[in-house]
Amino acid sequence: MNLRNIAIIAHVDHGKTTLVDALLAQSGVFRANEATVERAMDSNDQERERGITILAKCTSVLWNGKAGETRINIIDTPGHADFGGEVERILGMVDGCVILIDAEEGVMPQTKFVLGKALKLGLRPILCINKVDRPHADPDRVHNEAFDLFAIMGATDEQLDFPHIYASGKNGWATMDMNVPSDNLGPLFDLIVEHVPEPKVIENKDKPFQMLAVLIESDPFLGRVLTGRVNSGKAVPGLAIKALNRDGVEIERGRITKVLAFRGLKRQPVDEGTEAGDICAIAGLSKATVADTLCDMSLTDALPAQPIDPPTISMTVSVNDSPLAGKEGTKVQSRVIRERLLKEAESNVAIRVTETDEKDAFEVAGRGELQLGVLIENMRREGFEVAISRPRVVFKIDPETGEKMEPIEDVVIDVDEEFTGVVIEKLSARKAELKDMGPSGAGKTRITLKSPSRSLIGYQGEFLTDTRGSGVLNRVFSHYEGYKGIIDQNRKGVLISNGDGETAAFALWKLEERGTMFVGGNEKTYMGMIIGENSRLDDLDVNPMKTKQLTNIRASGTDEAIRLTPPRRPTLEQAIAYIEDDELVEVTPKSIRLRKKELNPSFRKKRVRTDA
């Protein structure tokens, strides 16, 4: 049987997971009477809720086409830049990739990022222009944009000679020629089998077993499960193996207890094992992790692991020390939080965890606010209570000049023409540089900028307000440049509770003229908790618990009816982006609260004076 290993890579929302759904359905993975779900590969709760792919996942289909029966291992990858670490790891497992580009949106920042990684590894991508049935689709323009991008990224002549195919993943068809209609994905399957080479490592099938671990997960029955492509030999249950780190130092020895092969959406145990070139998951080791080499006892050399781009954003995760701590969560101790963060850093190579000088606090560095937000949301659902600081960029020092360097991002914004002025004005004030601007179809303007990562922290909410929710902002890390200086980001002040207790509707009603509320009536509050946004630039301590004084004297006329405006409850990502350096987000399984680091207002004023 022929074997092909491919990855599907693209910018966020260009239709990777939907296309994989159609590939699975048309390859006969599902029985005729089997219930299927939309976006079957997005198995994680947060992936389903957010509508994005967060973790790279493997599936396998059988295709009986022109070249006979072929097993195609397909890896669905995340499209969001924050989860780029997943893409970097898995590209070493495959021999080819399908790069998806939306026929209307065209080339986007993450397209450039994932294509650069694929070309660097010497892969010859297949260009799939997806969503060609959209009303404003322009496949010819997108094809030209893709060719230009390949050339800019330094593709070789062989890579520039890429095949292209038109598809509609949602409707399940692909065609090599727009004038030749199709009702299935057969042309795409055949193109993959024809263009993607068979794994070169198949010739190593008679050598001792060797495999590079690329993905890691924990199974309640099997323990640690490591996924990768068998580089040589055969993975069979009972085989004695050892794990080597990147430097070839032995970590542990053990036996393979289970070999799991990907068959459709399921992982099935295979007693006969899997041969060189195939992708499988192995259980039996307890210490080995991502980028380690699992091999036969006779081998001493580790396989080279792909270098991962460094984190650019960091934040402090600490024990929740608010007056309401421990009332909603079950996991509140620093030891438990530390273990959970280190476990995450082990399985996600794009996240780095270090202990800080502060008591019970840990610095977590990642690719962006969304990646860190997803981690905290997962912890919150597991019963953790934590306090989170404002994200800050990870600076570097240039070893040659000693100059302070900061991360720079490529930003692409699609926005209605009427809002271009305010977007450019706001980002220029935040030290962003305009690179290009032009129409992108459907009455939209595309603005391309180069911006410091610092200036984009907390900008998303302001951007959506400025563009009436119609703008789309995409960003991806580009490189490090010299420090750009202080960026003026004037946020309005906040309304802070001056005592402990429960909020009263009467007090909030009176406070509404001061600003926007984050809390409703009859909610627990404490001194130093942020209950709303001030309409002015300074912070204001207020009493949200004041009730109406009742007397036995009859009021002349009728009392006014108290009608509160619904509070603006920030989501976790919005809260993380909103806070200032002297504030924290208190995250519990049931609540997201904003607070000042220093709860006592007299100490806060003292500290401001000493800072000044």
Side-chain angles (χ1 to χ4, degrees):
M1 187 191 292
N2 298 316
L3 180 66
R4 300 289 184 273
N5 296 324
I6 65 154
I8 297 192
I9 57 178
H11 184 78
V12 66
D13 224 18
H14 279 198
K16 297 176 300 301
T17 308
T18 306
L19 181 69
V20 173
D21 272 1
L23 290 169
L24 286 166
Q26 294 188 24
S27 63
V29 164
F30 303 115
R31 297 189 310 274
N33 65 340
E34 189 174 355
T36 59
V37 290
E38 192 180 336
R39 300 200 327 273
M41 295 296 283
D42 285 351
S43 51
N44 181 304
D45 285 345
Q46 282 204 66
E47 289 179 320
R48 294 208 157 281
E49 289 165 24
R50 294 169 186 262
I52 58 172
T53 303
I54 293 171
L55 303 168
K57 288 177 280 296
C58 189
T59 185
S60 174
V61 299
L62 281 174
W63 177 248
N64 207 339
K66 295 175 185 174
E69 195 170 43
T70 306
R71 176 167 299 285
I72 305 173
N73 289 321
I74 303 170
I75 300 176
D76 181 25
T77 64
H80 203 287
D82 283 22
F83 309 108
E86 296 281 320
V87 181
E88 292 163 314
R89 283 189 290 173
I90 59 91
L91 283 178
M93 271 206 296
V94 298
D95 309 286
C97 62
V98 176
I99 182 158
L100 242 65
I101 302 184
D102 188 307
E104 187 178 318
E105 287 189 3
V107 170
M108 297 295 271
Q110 183 73 359
T111 315
K112 186 176 171 185
F113 170 81
V114 292
L115 178 65
K117 298 290 177 189
L119 295 177
K120 198 173 171 184
L121 287 168
L123 302 178
R124 290 177 58 213
I126 294 169
L127 173 65
C128 178
I129 300 173
N130 194 27
K131 305 189 185 182
V132 289
D133 51 347
R134 286 181 78 171
H136 298 287
D138 189 351
D140 294 336
R141 169 181 65 83
V142 171
H143 187 211
N144 291 334
E145 277 182 13
F147 186 85
D148 293 343
L149 180 64
F150 271 70
I152 291 167
M153 300 297 289
T156 62
D157 291 344
E158 193 181 26
Q159 288 170 328
L160 276 172
D161 187 23
F162 57 86
H164 67 280
I165 190 167
Y166 306 98
S168 169
K170 190 176 180 183
N171 295 316
W173 59 263
T175 179
M176 299 295 289
D177 186 343
M178 286 294 286
N179 299 315
V180 181
S182 169
D183 61 356
N184 61 56
L185 290 167
L188 178 57
F189 276 117
D190 288 332
L191 181 60
I192 289 168
V193 175
E194 178 192 335
H195 182 75
V196 176
E198 201 169 36
K200 288 180 185 172
V201 294
I202 282 182
E203 61 199 37
N204 300 333
K205 61 183 179 183
D206 297 326
K207 294 181 180 177
F209 167 72
Q210 194 178 37
M211 175 179 125
L212 182 71
V214 175
L215 301 173
I216 183 173
E217 63 185 285
S218 181
D219 185 281
F221 303 106
L222 301 174
R224 185 167 293 208
V225 178
L226 297 155
T227 302
R229 181 177 69 174
V230 180
N231 201 60
S232 65
K234 192 173 185 179
V236 287
L239 179 71
I241 58 169
K242 61 182 177 181
L244 307 174
N245 66 11
R246 285 171 190 257
D247 305 320
V249 177
E250 186 178 315
I251 301 165
E252 66 169 324
R253 297 187 174 204
R255 281 188 187 276
I256 298 175
T257 54
K258 261 300 191 256
V259 177
L260 303 163
F262 294 90
R263 300 292 180 256
L265 287 173
K266 300 180 179 73
R267 280 193 319 204
Q268 296 177 350
V270 280
D271 294 335
E272 68 276 11
T274 51
E275 295 193 339
D278 206 352
I279 294 172
C280 69
I282 285 175
L285 296 176
S286 59
K287 292 180 186 170
T289 185
V290 170
D292 289 345
T293 302
L294 316 180
C295 61
D296 189 89
M297 293 293 191
S298 60
L299 298 176
T300 54
D301 294 332
L303 290 167
Q306 284 303 313
I308 302 293
D309 285 350
T312 56
I313 298 277
S314 75
M315 66 185 186
T316 304
V317 177
S318 55
V319 169
N320 181 17
D321 60 355
S322 88
L324 298 178
K327 300 208 171 162
E328 295 176 358
T330 54
K331 299 171 182 174
V332 295
Q333 307 95 328
S334 61
R335 173 184 55 81
V336 182
I337 293 168
R338 178 178 177 274
E339 283 172 8
R340 176 65 180 85
L341 291 173
L342 292 175
K343 183 182 170 189
E344 184 68 27
E346 188 180 81
S347 61
N348 188 343
V349 289
I351 279 182
R352 198 171 62 215
V353 177
T354 50
E355 296 194 34
T356 66
D357 297 335
E358 294 177 48
K359 190 178 73 168
D360 301 336
F362 311 92
E363 187 168 297
V364 182
R367 291 283 177 82
E369 292 143 271
L370 179 61
Q371 185 190 29
L372 297 175
V374 165
L375 166 61
I376 299 301
E377 180 64 33
N378 278 332
M379 291 175 66
R380 178 188 177 202
R381 293 180 183 202
E382 291 163 19
F384 283 88
E385 276 194 23
V386 289
I388 307 157
S389 74
R390 175 181 168 82
R392 50 198 179 270
V393 299
V394 177
F395 293 107
K396 277 185 175 179
I397 301 295
D398 189 327
E400 293 175 11
T401 62
E403 185 188 7
K404 190 178 183 182
M405 310 281 281
E406 69 173 315
I408 303 293
E409 301 194 14
D410 286 330
V411 184
V412 174
I413 293 171
D414 284 319
V415 70
D416 292 339
E417 207 169 309
E418 62 191 286
F419 303 125
T420 52
V422 67
V423 170
I424 292 171
E425 183 189 341
K426 288 268 179 85
L427 283 170
S428 299
R430 290 168 173 249
K431 303 276 171 80
E433 294 173 28
L434 183 67
K435 288 167 69 180
D436 190 27
M437 182 173 157
S440 64
K444 298 259 185 189
T445 301
R446 177 161 292 181
I447 307 166
T448 309
L449 306 110
K450 196 171 78 169
S451 167
S453 296
R454 264 187 311 148
S455 60
L456 296 171
I457 293 174
Y459 176 64
Q460 181 75 28
E462 199 176 322
F463 169 74
L464 289 173
T465 305
D466 291 342
T467 60
R468 309 285 189 275
S470 64
V472 179
L473 184 150
N474 291 289
R475 47 191 274 207
V476 66
F477 169 72
S478 174
H479 60 283
Y480 271 83
E481 260 185 34
Y483 182 63
K484 303 285 182 188
I486 294 167
I487 294 171
D488 189 22
Q489 298 175 329
N490 276 338
R491 188 201 74 179
K492 288 179 180 174
V494 288
L495 302 174
I496 308 159
S497 172
N498 64 3
D500 301 357
E502 281 197 3
T503 56
F506 177 76
L508 297 179
W509 181 53
K510 291 289 186 187
L511 288 172
E512 278 186 355
E513 61 193 39
R514 295 279 191 181
T516 309
M517 292 297 131
F518 295 158
V519 296
N522 299 325
E523 291 186 25
K524 287 181 180 172
T525 183
Y526 53 83
M527 182 190 289
M529 179 173 149
I530 296 169
I531 59 157
E533 181 177 73
N534 195 358
S535 53
R536 303 190 179 196
L537 291 175
D538 56 338
D539 292 348
L540 189 65
D541 286 288
V542 295
N543 180 4
M545 293 153 291
K546 185 179 179 183
T547 54
K548 186 175 181 183
Q549 296 301 313
L550 299 176
T551 68
N552 59 357
I553 301 171
R554 199 170 187 180
S556 61
T558 56
D559 284 344
E560 288 182 80
I562 294 175
R563 286 196 181 91
L564 292 178
T565 308
R568 188 180 97 202
R569 298 191 189 276
T571 63
L572 182 58
E573 276 87 25
Q574 286 168 347
I576 292 170
Y578 181 81
I579 57 172
E580 292 284 8
D581 292 333
D582 66 334
E583 295 163 359
L584 297 171
V585 181
E586 178 189 346
V587 181
T588 74
K590 295 179 184 173
S591 313
I592 294 168
R593 303 184 187 98
L594 307 182
R595 52 164 284 197
K596 288 288 182 183
K597 278 185 184 174
E598 187 56 70
L599 298 178
N600 191 315
S602 56
F603 290 149
R604 277 204 303 275
K605 286 169 187 165
K606 278 180 191 171
R607 197 168 65 178
V608 169
R609 278 205 297 272
T610 53
D611 288 348

